[in-house]
Amino acid sequence: MPAEQILTYDEAASVVAAHAATLPPPKFTTRVSLAAAHGCVLAENIRTPRALPPFDRATRDGFAVRAAEIKQAFHVSGLLRAGQPAVTAPLAAGEAIEIMTGAPMPFGADAVLMIEHAERTGERIRASTGRMLVPGDNVVPRGSEAAPGSIMVTAGVRVGAAQIAAAASCGMPDLLVFGRPNIAIFATGDELIEPGEPVLDHQIYNSNAYSLAAQVEEAGGRALIHRALSDDLGATENAIASAQASDNASDLLLVSGGVSMGKFDYVETALRNRGAEFFFTGVRIQPGKPLVFGGLPRPDGARQYFFGLPGNPVSTLVTFSLFARLLIAALAGEHSYAVPFVSATLAEEVHSKPGLTRFLPAVVHHDIAGPTVRTVLWQGSGDLAALARSNAFLVIPPQREVFLAGEAMTILLR
C-alpha cells in the first residue's frame, strides 16, 4: 500500500488548482435563451455590435447647455425625453433644451445643468449662484462604455444577472454555453437509508448525497445521485467500476464516507483496485482531514477525477467547498472561480488547539460598517443542526491558540 500523503491546506489546494488548470473546456455546447442562461458558463464572447452608449447620453434630469455659457441666462427652447431622437439642429448661443435622464444630447450641447441647480422663470433659466459647469458634466459620451465590436464578457465566465444584462444590451436573445459536467455521487454506510423510508433506531437518513447534489448544481454540474453503498468492498468496487464505464462515465466521482481508518472503510482500497492514482490522502484541516483526491483511468483514455470525502456532514460540506467546487468549476469551463475567502471582524474571543487549520461553523452579520463573525455552538463534524444555523465558516490558522474580539479573521462563505 502506498505511503500516506498528508498535506497542509495550502499544499492540497495547490494540487487541486494545478489539476484544474490542465482541464480543457467542455466539448459539448448548447444555445439557451437569456432567461435560461443564469448559472451557465459562457462558451462564446459577448461582443457589442455598436457603441455603448450609442449616443452622448444625459445622466441627470436638467438642461442641455454649452458649459462655457454657464454664467449667462438661457432660453429654454424644447424638451427631450429618453427614447426620442436626438436634436440635430445646432444649439444656438444662449439656448438650453430641457432634458431627461437617458435622453440623447442635442447637437452642440456639452453638459447638463441639473434641474436642482437651475433657477427657472418661465422659459428662461439661470444657474444657481456659484454653480459652474465644465464640458462633459452629467454626460456619458458615445462609446465610453464599449466600442463597436469590443468584448463585454469573455467566454469562461459564469452567467449572472450582470452578464445577462450585458447580453441583452447587445441585442442577444440567447447565449452559447458549455454543457454541465456529470458528477456521480455515492454516499457510503450500512446505517444510511433514503429520506421517506421508515427509519430504525440504529439508522440515519442519507443527508450527504442530497447536500452534495445541491452544491454540485450550484457549482454548475449535473448531480447524479446513486443509491447509498453498503460497507462492502465488492459493492464499493462495483459502483466505482460502473461510474468508470464508457457508456456511463461521469466527469467526477464524489464518494462520501469510507475514507477514514475504520475496519469497514473500503473506499481507498476499492479505488486502488480499480487503478486509481492518489494525489493526496489527507489534509491537515478540521473537519475534513481524511479527504483523498486522485484520478481513475477510463476506457476512453481520459482521466476521471475523484474525491473521497469524509462522511460526517460538516466535513463533507467543508471539503467540497474548499476543493471539489474548484474542480467542478474547471470541468464546467469556468476560468474565474476562486474559493470565497473574505475578511470579517471577530465578534468574540475564540480559543483553538494549534496544529490544524480549522473551519468552525459561524454566523456572519453583514452591514455597511463591514462584516462581523461569531462562531456557532456545535458538537463536532456530525452536527447538522449547527451547520443549518450557520452561514459561513470561521477559518482558524494552525499557529495560534487565542484570537481576540476585534481581530480581522478569514472566513469561508457558503
Side-chain angles (χ1 to χ4, degrees):
M1 182 178 293
E4 287 189 323
Q5 303 170 68
I6 311 297
L7 306 183
T8 66
Y9 166 72
D10 287 338
E11 290 169 340
S14 295
V15 169
V16 176
H19 282 274
T22 67
L23 291 172
K27 295 179 181 178
F28 175 69
T29 59
T30 185
R31 272 203 182 274
V32 297
S33 68
L34 283 184
H38 189 268
C40 297
V41 177
L42 276 175
E44 64 179 346
N45 296 328
I46 296 177
R47 293 180 181 271
T48 175
R50 60 176 184 164
L52 290 180
F55 48 79
D56 293 345
R57 185 181 67 213
T59 63
R60 295 288 189 275
D61 294 339
F63 302 90
V65 296
R66 288 189 179 88
E69 299 175 344
I70 189 62
K71 294 184 178 181
Q72 69 181 57
F74 297 93
H75 171 71
V76 180
S77 62
L79 183 146
L80 270 174
R81 299 178 304 191
Q84 285 185 302
V87 175
T88 57
L91 205 67
E95 182 183 6
I97 295 180
E98 190 172 1
I99 194 166
M100 303 293 107
T101 300
M105 291 289 289
F107 184 73
D110 58 14
V112 172
L113 176 64
M114 294 169 57
I115 196 167
E116 55 266 44
H117 297 162
E119 298 172 358
R120 184 167 186 170
T121 305
E123 298 306 313
R124 295 186 69 77
I125 62 163
R126 182 180 291 276
S128 302
T129 303
R131 288 290 171 189
M132 299 299 294
L133 281 180
V134 296
D137 277 357
N138 306 315
V139 177
V140 176
R142 178 184 183 276
S144 59
E145 296 170 358
S150 63
I151 297 174
M152 294 185 69
V153 187
T154 59
V157 170
R158 186 169 299 280
V159 178
Q163 290 73 34
I164 288 174
S169 74
C170 294
M172 301 175 68
D174 50 44
L175 293 172
L176 186 70
V177 299
F178 290 120
R180 292 173 177 263
N182 292 321
I183 314 299
I185 297 171
F186 293 94
T188 68
D190 289 337
E191 74 278 17
L192 298 180
I193 63 168
E194 294 303 305
E197 295 180 356
V199 62
L200 302 176
D201 289 345
H202 63 282
Q203 296 175 317
I204 61 173
Y205 287 114
N206 179 7
S207 63
N208 277 349
Y210 298 94
S211 169
L212 283 171
Q215 294 171 88
V216 164
E217 295 289 338
E218 289 174 357
R222 180 180 291 106
L224 307 176
I225 299 178
H226 294 259
R227 185 98 184 157
L229 299 176
S230 61
D231 291 321
D232 177 85
L233 178 58
T236 304
E237 191 170 334
N238 287 339
I240 293 170
S242 175
Q244 284 179 277
S246 58
D247 59 346
N248 192 36
S250 299
D251 298 289
L252 174 67
L253 178 61
L254 300 178
V255 184
S256 71
V259 293
S260 295
M261 302 296 291
K263 186 175 182 179
F264 299 102
D265 291 332
Y266 293 120
V267 169
E268 284 191 53
T269 301
L271 287 165
R272 205 169 276 116
N273 289 347
R274 294 298 306 172
E277 177 185 7
F278 288 84
F279 307 129
F280 57 76
T281 58
V283 186
R284 293 189 181 95
I285 61 174
Q286 188 185 48
K289 186 177 179 181
L291 176 74
V292 299
F293 173 53
L296 285 162
R298 293 199 317 198
D300 60 5
R303 173 186 277 157
Q304 180 186 47
Y305 286 99
F306 65 81
F307 285 98
L309 307 169
N312 280 326
V314 183
S315 301
T316 302
L317 194 146
V318 166
T319 50
F320 182 96
S321 299
L322 292 174
F323 303 104
R325 173 67 177 82
L326 174 62
L327 199 72
I328 293 173
L331 287 167
E334 184 178 5
H335 61 57
S336 56
Y337 178 78
V339 178
F341 290 119
V342 297
S343 182
T345 301
L346 191 59
E348 60 188 359
E349 187 172 304
V350 172
H351 293 251
S352 178
K353 294 180 180 180
L356 298 175
T357 302
R358 302 180 194 276
F359 297 84
L360 307 182
V363 172
V364 177
H365 176 70
H366 299 271
D367 63 31
I368 197 168
T372 57
V373 60
R374 66 176 64 247
T375 57
V376 169
L377 181 65
W378 70 314
Q379 304 302 320
S381 57
D383 191 344
L384 275 171
L387 186 63
R389 291 195 301 270
S390 67
N391 63 2
F393 292 100
L394 174 64
V395 182
I396 302 294
Q399 301 89 355
R400 290 170 52 192
E401 296 185 21
V402 180
F403 301 84
L404 303 177
E407 285 194 57
M409 300 289 289
T410 299
I411 57 173
L412 172 63
L413 295 177
R414 280 179 29 214

